[in-house]
Amino acid sequence: MTVADTIVFPSLVKRLIDQGKISHDDATTAVTNARSENTPIASYLMQRRLVSQQDIAIMCSAEYGLNIADVDAIEITDEVREILPLDQARKLQLLPIFKLGKGIHVGVADPHYLSNLDDIKFATGLVAEPVIIEYNKLQALLRNNTGENSDDAERLGMTVSSKTAEQDLAIDTYEMESEEEEEEEDDTGIDIIKFVNELLTHAISKGVSDIHIEPYEKLLRVRYRIDGILQVIATPPKKISLRLAARLKVMSKLNMSEKRKPQDGRIHFKVADDKFIDFRVSTLPTLYGEKIVMRILDSSSASLGVDMLGFEAEQKEALLNALNKPDGMILVTGPTGSGKTVTLYTGLNLLNTSERNIATAEDPCEIQLPGINQVNVDPKAGLTFAAALKSFLRQDPDIIMVGEIRDLETADIAMKAAQTGHLVLSTLHTNSAPETLTRMINMGVKPFNIASTVHLIVAQRLARRLCNNCKEPVDIPEEALLTLGFSKEEIPSLELFGPVGCNSCSNGYKGRVGIYQIMPISQAMGRMVMDGKNAMDIADQAQKEGVSDLRQSALRKARAGIISLQELERVTKD
């Protein structure tokens, strides 16, 4: 069976073949090459002149039921030019061409970019209606007819180049805005309440983990963190930054008059009649205003179940065995944003029954679970992790979760709790499971306590999952595969995949999966801890006992077609 027999053509290509605009063989080659180059098929066909731009426009119109616009007969006004910054229009490959009331007609040449219409609606507040225009005319308009000049960008406070943004950040002098300037009404006409509601709703629908609102000298930037990667999503007028910060402070119950100190709050946002999503809000005074970061806290992530986190069979078994023990300590380690909290709460969710008393101390509580007694630590009020732990021990607990072991006092109390009939779960910031043991010794914890108390250590990272709809096989030189850690024997039968990108994913990735090193503490490892062995010695012993390190776990995910080699390198590089 040949590639031509098995390839699945996009519907637009099928229509072109049926209409005789391209041969079956040329279409097969084009689709294969376009996917390998991560290029939308319509753009590939037009760039290579395999199909005329007029034919593509006609076929797109028929396929998607859209009108074809004759842009030669349309005068794009200054008002329309100013609706969307030039660099954003180029990125989205969409061009506003005509405004009517609350609607905006948007020209598109390649249907691949129709999925960006939501971004147009979000960035402009207008209802976007797509129309088809020919590819060369769209590119000419993006180059010459969108008012590309710095005066417009500065006047509107819209997107500037990344180089300019970096220069803005480097400016050392800044005069704080006067009270008159703060109270001055902007002339953008933006309904700030509606804007904020749409911002939060849009972020939830996109599966965002964090929203960054960043004011610069001439720019206000909104970025989303999607699958661990920050992406610019909008550049609203700089003039709304004060009203935007004020609105978010009201929703977070923060002090609106305090602009010189960081503040932390929480938004309880209604997304449906019976569903609320919490946002953890942090403000930070910067040179040009308050930067606001909102983390989306969805308690449903704790109920995903252990099977959804990406554990391999033996890793899952080791974790469940440790969770079923009546006492001892389980530690989860990894950098910020590696999913430690979700792993801990997945374990707590399994243990959360009416027969058990579970208490947690966190800074702050990110996931709320009924049936668990959760405490936000507050060092200013004297409620530290150590103080909370002492109180827990007087509350007849069965299971205790400590958000993070940061100091010797907290570590000692947690150790004593684990040694006196309590199961203790907590986190540390180390790079691997073996390093966690030596880190605790360096903190001042006695080696005997570590060896007798710690049952299991989980080191983890989060890698972006390849999109199952569009991922494609990739050819990698044998030398590169050997360098990555694959064996020479497996390379001939190895099938690896890379990202492509489609309407249902983000640049070829959709969601994330955990990469784990799960290390039960054996008697041999316990003796090594008491003998003062270093992390490398413990890692060698773990390998002898069949414990995979993070790199080996990531290699298995790549073999299974779950992650790309780029992600393997990104999350497991030294």
Side-chain angles (χ1 to χ4, degrees):
M1 183 177 291
T2 65
V3 173
D5 295 324
T6 59
I7 193 166
V8 177
F9 290 121
S11 57
L12 176 63
V13 176
K14 289 181 182 177
R15 187 180 288 271
L16 289 167
I17 295 173
D18 292 342
Q19 294 294 321
K21 302 300 181 183
I22 188 172
S23 69
H24 189 281
D25 289 343
D26 286 346
T28 299
T29 302
V31 170
T32 302
N33 292 342
R35 288 175 178 170
S36 66
E37 296 175 15
N38 196 18
T39 302
I41 184 60
S43 295
Y44 182 91
L45 292 171
M46 290 182 283
Q47 291 166 3
R48 302 305 191 280
R49 304 190 181 209
L50 296 171
V51 179
S52 74
Q53 296 176 20
Q54 185 178 24
D55 283 339
I56 289 286
I58 293 171
M59 295 302 163
C60 286
S61 173
E63 179 69 24
Y64 296 95
L66 301 176
N67 293 324
I68 299 176
D70 181 7
V71 292
D72 293 332
I74 298 174
E75 180 182 356
I76 302 179
T77 65
D78 290 341
E79 179 189 9
V80 172
R81 289 193 187 105
E82 294 171 353
I83 285 173
L84 193 69
L86 177 63
D87 59 346
Q88 196 169 358
R90 284 174 173 164
K91 178 182 176 182
L92 299 176
Q93 284 294 297
L94 299 173
L95 183 70
I97 57 176
F98 182 74
K99 183 175 181 291
L100 182 63
K102 292 293 184 180
I104 181 75
H105 284 77
V106 179
V108 58
D110 187 333
H112 172 83
Y113 297 103
L114 288 172
S115 59
N116 292 334
L117 286 171
D118 283 345
D119 296 329
I120 293 275
K121 178 182 177 181
F122 175 72
T124 65
L126 301 171
V127 177
E129 295 287 344
V131 292
I132 299 294
I133 61 178
E134 293 180 22
Y135 182 82
N136 61 338
K137 294 180 179 179
L138 173 66
Q139 300 308 318
L141 288 167
L142 289 175
R143 286 194 301 270
N144 306 319
N145 200 31
T146 50
E148 184 181 11
N149 64 73
S150 58
D151 290 339
D152 281 347
E154 290 175 5
R155 177 166 55 82
L156 292 170
M158 301 296 275
T159 300
V160 295
S161 70
S162 59
K163 181 177 179 181
T164 305
E166 291 170 1
Q167 291 170 345
D168 289 345
L169 291 172
I171 297 175
D172 293 325
T173 58
Y174 173 69
E175 294 181 4
M176 295 296 290
E177 295 163 321
S178 67
E179 292 300 319
E180 288 184 2
E181 290 173 324
E182 290 182 358
E183 294 174 1
E184 182 181 1
E185 289 291 327
D186 65 59
D187 55 1
T188 60
I190 293 177
D191 183 334
I192 205 68
I193 295 176
K194 181 180 178 182
F195 178 86
V196 169
N197 289 341
E198 289 184 354
L199 171 66
L200 302 185
T201 303
H202 186 251
I204 293 168
S205 68
K206 290 285 187 179
V208 172
S209 62
D210 301 87
I211 306 171
H212 292 239
I213 300 172
E214 303 162 312
Y216 300 113
E217 184 182 21
K218 301 171 183 176
L219 166 70
L220 179 62
R221 182 172 69 177
V222 178
R223 292 192 292 173
Y224 287 168
R225 188 176 294 279
I226 303 176
D227 295 336
I229 305 297
L230 279 171
Q231 303 175 20
V232 176
I233 193 66
T235 52
K238 174 66 166 63
K239 294 179 181 180
I240 73 167
S241 61
L242 290 174
R243 289 196 297 140
L244 180 56
R247 174 60 185 166
L248 290 170
K249 283 183 174 181
V250 168
M251 296 175 72
S252 310
K253 297 180 174 59
L254 299 178
N255 184 352
M256 289 182 59
S257 62
E258 179 57 76
K259 299 179 181 180
R260 299 185 180 184
K261 294 181 181 179
Q263 296 187 71
D264 295 305
R266 199 178 188 104
I267 294 174
H268 196 53
F269 186 70
K270 185 176 182 179
V271 293
D273 289 340
D274 57 348
K275 184 175 181 180
F276 289 83
I277 297 291
D278 285 347
F279 291 77
R280 190 182 75 195
V281 181
S282 172
T283 70
L284 179 70
T286 67
L287 286 177
Y288 301 108
E290 291 179 284
K291 175 179 178 178
I292 299 175
V293 176
M294 294 178 282
R295 168 157 290 188
I296 300 177
L297 309 174
D298 189 353
S299 296
S300 63
S301 61
S303 57
L304 290 174
V306 69
D307 292 321
M308 295 296 293
L309 297 184
F311 292 110
E312 297 162 25
E314 65 276 9
Q315 293 176 335
K316 174 185 172 182
E317 183 181 0
L319 177 61
L320 293 178
N321 286 340
L323 287 170
N324 286 326
K325 292 184 177 180
D327 56 15
M329 182 177 288
I330 299 173
L331 295 173
V332 182
T333 182
T336 301
S338 60
K340 298 188 297 295
T341 300
V342 171
T343 298
L344 285 174
Y345 266 95
T346 299
L348 289 178
N349 203 35
L350 293 173
L351 300 170
N352 187 15
T353 64
S354 59
E355 294 84 15
R356 295 187 177 103
N357 179 19
I358 303 176
T360 75
E362 301 165 77
D363 183 19
C365 295
E366 294 190 2
I367 297 173
Q368 298 180 14
L369 279 184
I372 293 180
N373 306 290
Q374 297 172 274
V375 174
N376 271 328
V377 300
D378 186 358
K380 292 181 180 179
L383 183 56
T384 61
F385 281 120
L389 268 173
K390 290 178 182 177
S391 296
F392 287 169
L393 293 176
R394 295 190 289 270
Q395 293 275 318
D396 185 31
D398 297 298
I399 298 161
I400 296 171
M401 195 270 270
V402 186
E404 183 182 352
I405 294 178
R406 298 176 179 173
D407 51 53
L408 178 58
E409 183 183 11
T410 304
D412 275 340
I413 299 171
M415 284 286 175
K416 290 174 183 176
Q419 291 169 343
T420 54
H422 309 93
L423 181 63
V424 178
L425 289 72
S426 190
T427 72
L428 279 173
H429 285 281
T430 57
N431 292 324
S432 68
E435 289 178 47
T436 304
L437 295 171
T438 55
R439 168 71 191 283
M440 296 187 76
I441 294 173
N442 293 335
M443 288 174 63
V445 181
K446 294 179 181 179
F448 174 80
N449 286 335
I450 298 172
S452 62
T453 304
V454 179
H455 291 329
L456 183 84
I457 301 176
V458 179
Q460 67 179 73
R461 303 289 188 275
L462 286 178
R464 291 181 292 171
R465 283 182 184 268
L466 284 167
C467 173
N468 286 325
N469 291 332
C470 64
K471 67 181 181 182
E472 284 194 339
V474 292
D475 293 323
I476 307 295
E478 181 176 324
E479 296 79 7
L481 293 175
L482 292 172
T483 302
L484 287 169
F486 294 100
S487 65
K488 192 174 183 67
E489 294 75 22
E490 69 177 315
I491 288 177
S493 60
L494 197 61
E495 186 176 23
L496 301 172
F497 293 85
V500 176
C502 65
N503 292 338
S504 63
C505 68
S506 175
N507 299 318
Y509 298 98
K510 188 172 184 179
R512 290 190 286 179
V513 64
I515 308 294
Y516 301 97
Q517 178 187 28
I518 295 191
M519 189 176 81
I521 307 304
S522 64
Q523 290 184 356
M525 291 183 197
R527 284 193 296 271
M528 295 177 77
V529 170
M530 290 188 287
D531 291 341
K533 299 294 185 180
N534 60 34
M536 294 181 63
D537 295 329
I538 298 171
D540 290 340
Q541 178 62 32
Q543 287 284 307
K544 292 177 183 177
E545 296 180 14
V547 175
S548 300
D549 60 24
L550 288 167
R551 184 74 166 200
Q552 291 165 338
S553 294
L555 286 170
R556 283 198 286 271
K557 291 289 194 302
R559 290 187 191 100
I562 298 172
I563 67 172
S564 66
L565 295 182
Q566 297 97 311
E567 280 298 282
L568 182 149
E569 278 287 277
R570 184 179 71 86
V571 301
T572 63
K573 63 185 177 182
D574 296 331

